Amino acid sequence: MSKKEYTVGFEIIGTGRAVPPKRITNDELAKTLDTNDEWIRSHTGIGARHIADEHTACSDLAVEAARNALSWAIECHACAEKTLEELALTVDMVIVCSSTADYFCCPATACIVQNAIGAKNAGAMDVVDACSSFIYGLETGAGLLSVNKDRRRALVIGAEVLSRFVDWTDRGTCVLFGDGAGAVLLEKTDSSKGLLRTILGADGSGAEHLVMKRGGSRNPFKQGDTVETPPHIEMNGRAVYNFAVSAVTETITSLLKAENLTIEDIALIVPHQANARIVQAAAKRLNIPEEKFFLNIEEYANTSAASIPIALDEINRSGALHSGDLIICVGFGAGLSYGGNLIRW
Ligand code: UT7
């Protein structure tokens, strides 16, 4: 008698995204900044970015993306629950992956989202690991579902309002970033679909290469300080670029090796959208056709923790993936941190 194989899968049963309507092209930026469309496109692949209005915070985008993911699960995954309210009550964990939380220090943005969507039975926490946060968040979600038999569903959301934390006079950074959110609903199932393996890594020796220096316990604001420039991201672009190309290359190689796969087994690679040139360089090193990588950076720029779940929602809604397809998500960023998820769709 053959041995029964019991598989616990962490399947993505819904995806959603939220992108602010205000869209700023490179040409529009160039009206107030010493830059131009040609430089930005040729150095990054970015054509535009979406920017939140002054009333919109991280949780607002996260809530919209989460509701869209729940709606997808109801409409397209044949959930037993037929309304957003019913489905939200079945969510066991709300995880918000972000470096641009609603509030500095506390509360966790996930608590605000949990309340807004009516996930009354869910625990809530934030995952903060810059642009790698969603990769870490997906593994966190699956881990939290796996350790407790009573937990079945986790909402994992990447949401950022980076426009509040860039120096709009620094052309080396401000042209790169945009705002947005993406969400997935993870469900623990007895199937071979979903998150198969995650690789996580970090090299903290590069912490200074991408950092927001003001406001934390190392460099807090003190009474009487005058704030000439609001807290903003500072980056050694070249150092991060080199790290990123290696991180993408090594993560993909390690995931394939760990599962005894070849690149031909993979339908699509969904990289963090930081710079199209990083993807092109990694594709060349790995000898993978560039078309295997999904890119939407031209429209959204770098939305940090939101970039991969926004991409996943676009891909899902476009119908480009078939049930059973293997995909790899790969992220990297400040920390320096990196990671990848191998997922069976
Ligand atoms: O998601 C987090 C992870 N972040 C990343 O992955 C970012 C990784 N780094 C990069 O993507 C690239 O390093 C950048 C896009 C940030 C910069 O590209 P680069 O080819 O490394 O340019 P650079 O910083 O070496 O600058 C080259 C030139 C400089 O002028 P000079 O000194 O050669 O005269 C810059 O002042 O380009 C100039 N420059 C610009 N010119 C027009 C820098 N930014 C701009 C700009 N418009 N926006």
Side-chain angles (χ1 to χ4, degrees):
M1 205 171 79
S2 68
K3 207 167 97 188
K4 178 183 181 326
E5 276 202 26
Y6 181 76
T7 318
V8 175
F10 302 98
E11 198 178 336
I12 294 175
I13 64 164
T15 66
R17 68 179 187 274
V19 177
K22 186 175 175 190
R23 180 177 186 270
I24 300 182
T25 63
N26 295 339
D27 283 334
E28 284 169 284
L29 269 189
K31 287 179 190 163
T32 54
L33 193 69
D34 181 15
T35 189
N36 54 75
D37 182 60
E38 198 283 325
W39 190 97
I40 301 173
R41 276 184 193 276
S42 61
H43 283 73
T44 69
I46 294 167
R49 70 283 298 142
H50 291 248
I51 302 293
D53 68 34
E54 59 179 317
H55 307 294
T56 302
C58 177
S59 67
D60 299 313
L61 294 175
V63 165
E64 193 182 332
R67 288 200 177 116
N68 288 336
L70 294 173
S71 296
W72 178 277
I74 292 167
E75 286 157 28
C76 305
H77 192 75
C79 287
E81 298 76 15
K82 294 297 168 219
T83 65
L84 274 185
E85 292 72 22
E86 279 171 27
L87 184 56
L89 288 173
T90 71
V91 173
D92 300 294
M93 282 303 303
V94 175
I95 298 171
V96 171
C97 311
S98 180
S99 300
T100 53
D102 280 24
Y103 298 103
F104 179 64
C105 250
C106 61
T109 304
C111 294
I112 297 164
V113 175
Q114 181 254 9
N115 177 55
I117 64 172
K120 290 184 184 149
N121 302 312
M125 64 180 283
D126 289 355
V127 170
V128 185
D129 212 354
C131 304
S132 309
S133 299
F134 185 78
I135 299 287
Y136 276 72
L138 216 49
E139 179 79 337
T140 304
L144 288 168
L145 295 183
S146 73
V147 294
N148 184 328
K149 68 178 170 47
D150 296 330
R151 292 194 197 115
R152 189 161 67 111
R153 288 175 175 156
L155 252 177
V156 184
I157 307 157
E160 303 279 11
V161 185
L162 287 152
S163 60
R164 302 269 148 77
F165 301 99
V166 294
D167 175 356
W168 284 101
T169 66
D170 174 16
R171 67 178 183 173
T173 53
C174 74
V175 303
L176 304 173
F177 297 105
D179 303 334
V184 302
L185 181 60
L186 266 190
E187 181 176 81
K188 188 162 64 181
T189 62
D190 186 12
S191 89
S192 59
K193 277 192 186 176
L195 186 61
L196 301 182
R197 183 181 284 268
T198 295
I199 284 176
L200 302 174
D203 176 7
S205 71
E208 289 289 316
H209 291 322
L210 186 40
V211 62
M212 202 164 86
K213 288 185 178 150
R214 289 307 309 273
S217 61
R218 185 156 305 281
N219 197 6
F221 291 109
K222 299 191 189 83
Q223 196 168 8
D225 278 358
T226 48
V227 180
E228 279 162 17
T229 317
H232 57 271
I233 295 163
E234 293 175 54
M235 181 170 72
N236 175 349
R238 188 44 57 183
V240 178
Y241 182 97
N242 292 336
F243 161 78
V245 176
S246 299
V248 172
T249 311
E250 285 164 25
T251 301
I252 293 171
T253 307
S254 302
L255 276 172
L256 293 176
K257 192 171 170 217
E259 291 289 330
N260 207 14
L261 296 167
T262 69
I263 195 64
E264 284 70 38
D265 297 315
I266 305 298
L268 196 63
I269 298 168
V270 186
H272 167 46
Q273 312 281 315
N275 186 332
R277 279 166 55 219
I278 292 173
V279 170
Q280 286 152 4
K284 199 169 166 197
R285 261 194 213 179
L286 289 163
N287 204 15
I288 299 175
E290 274 176 41
E291 303 73 60
K292 201 130 213 173
F293 290 82
F294 179 84
L295 275 177
N296 62 6
I297 191 172
E298 186 179 8
E299 178 60 26
Y300 302 120
N302 179 348
T303 57
S304 192
S307 85
I308 290 173
I310 288 175
L312 286 177
D313 185 53
E314 282 199 342
I315 295 161
N316 184 29
R317 285 169 198 262
S318 74
L321 288 176
H322 303 105
S323 177
D325 278 350
L326 285 174
I327 66 167
I328 287 177
C329 299
V330 56
F332 52 84
L336 298 167
S337 63
Y338 62 95
N341 312 119
L342 176 69
I343 298 167
R344 189 182 296 284
W345 203 252

